Amino acid sequence: MQHRSTTIHENIARITAIIPHVKLIVVSKQRPIEDIQAAYSCGQRRFGENKALELADKYKVLPKDIEWHFIGHLQTNKVKHIAPFISLIHSVDSLKLMEAIDREGLKNNRVIDCLLQFYIAKEETKFGLDETEAIEILESESYKNHLRHTRIIGVMGMATFTDDVKEIKREFATLKKIFERIRQKYFSTAPFFRELSMGMSADYQHAITEGSTMVRIGTDIFKRDYIV
Ligand SMILES: *Cc1c(COP(=O)(O)O)cnc(C)c1O
């Protein structure tokens, strides 16, 4: 018989051992508080959620030194629930959203770090920008002259859910190229622009090979439901 939190510890230890230079975001969406506490008790401080209200509820009851990451599609009217404490929003996919985050940053007297989310997969269901849309944001009057309470520190993307390793690697390599081009053109003097958030349970090893700096892993950490 095995205790559930022991399994969470083992999974985190196994994963961190093979990703030493990459930041692990433990994706705790739909997981109970106890699971997050189990991961926290073995030293994990970065957690990712994809629903603003669920995240705000968890924030209230969990230790305040947790670094919270927002990884889902974010509606502009939900930004206010996470703006006071969010560490990084991975999923900026429009200027309108970025402006809403900036307004909430101003209200909370802080600068909110963001990633531009790119659409790199072959699936219709995934959100994100293409390179032209990203450039429209970066060249916009609003972004250049008015947004002072948001900061873009990199890019994020999700590969197609497939067994085709070549395709997965191609998509991650595409995101890395987009990242490099944007860095060169808009952030060449900005050392903070350095994050490449790519890789989930099924594909993080390929993402790391292609240059990921942050992996977002849920299932592979919480999957085994052993009961005492
Ligand atoms: C759920 C989710 C993850 C984690 O996926 P797993 O397969 O459970 O590791 C990562 N990124 C995003 C954007 C997600 O929604």
Side-chain angles (χ1 to χ4, degrees):
M1 279 199 296
Q2 192 167 17
H3 200 283
R4 175 110 169 82
S5 62
T6 309
T7 312
I8 292 173
H9 284 208
E10 285 165 358
N11 289 340
I12 289 177
R14 173 175 50 80
I15 292 168
T16 50
I18 55 176
I19 61 161
H21 308 298
V22 176
K23 290 177 194 149
L24 170 62
I25 318 298
V26 173
V27 176
S28 51
K29 64 188 188 198
Q30 294 164 21
R31 302 287 168 182
I33 298 295
E34 305 80 70
D35 280 10
I36 302 174
Q37 282 165 333
Y40 181 90
S41 74
C42 58
Q44 259 308 307
R45 292 296 179 271
R46 296 189 186 96
F47 292 89
E49 292 280 336
N50 69 346
K51 297 263 191 310
L53 294 171
E54 182 181 341
L55 171 51
D57 285 344
K58 286 174 169 171
Y59 169 78
K60 277 180 211 145
V61 298
L62 282 158
K64 292 298 173 280
D65 63 341
I66 287 179
E67 197 183 281
W68 289 105
H69 291 247
F70 194 84
I71 61 168
H73 185 63
L74 183 56
Q75 289 170 277
T76 53
N77 63 350
K78 298 277 168 59
V79 176
K80 60 177 180 285
H81 301 294
I82 61 171
F85 64 86
I86 196 72
S87 176
L88 178 60
I89 297 174
H90 290 231
S91 45
V92 171
D93 58 2
S94 70
L95 180 59
K96 191 172 133 244
L97 175 58
M98 183 123 181
E99 289 168 341
I101 297 168
D102 203 87
R103 280 194 298 276
E104 294 299 326
L106 172 63
K107 279 186 207 160
N108 288 279
N109 192 27
R110 61 184 297 245
V111 175
I112 300 176
D113 282 345
C114 300
L115 304 177
L116 294 177
Q117 180 173 353
F118 284 86
Y119 178 85
I120 53 170
K122 286 182 160 169
E123 292 154 9
E124 285 295 328
T125 52
K126 288 178 179 162
F127 289 100
L129 303 160
D130 62 28
E131 206 167 342
T132 309
E133 292 166 332
I135 288 169
E136 277 168 21
I137 294 176
L138 295 165
E139 303 262 349
S140 68
E141 150 78 14
S142 171
Y143 173 75
K144 286 199 287 196
N145 299 324
H146 301 296
L147 302 190
R148 295 287 177 267
H149 294 85
T150 41
R151 183 173 76 155
I152 298 173
I153 67 164
V155 306
M156 181 271 227
M158 275 187 276
T160 306
F161 190 72
T162 170
D163 291 331
D164 183 350
V165 172
K166 269 196 185 153
E167 176 59 28
I168 293 170
K169 288 186 161 225
R170 189 181 312 128
E171 291 171 2
F172 286 146
T174 297
L175 185 59
K176 165 90 176 182
K177 284 195 199 116
I178 293 172
F179 168 76
E180 292 295 354
R181 280 195 292 267
I182 288 180
R183 181 162 68 174
Q184 251 178 20
K185 187 146 187 233
Y186 299 99
F187 297 94
S188 60
T189 59
F192 56 79
F193 186 88
R194 59 164 182 237
E195 301 295 353
L196 189 46
S197 169
M198 58 185 196
M200 312 175 26
S201 291
D203 55 23
Y204 67 90
Q205 309 216 24
H206 304 307
I208 290 168
T209 310
E210 299 304 323
S212 171
T213 65
M214 281 183 176
V215 291
R216 311 173 309 270
I217 303 180
T219 314
D220 204 26
I221 288 166
F222 295 115
K223 63 186 170 190
R224 277 171 263 172
D225 276 300
Y226 293 110
I227 300 301
V228 184

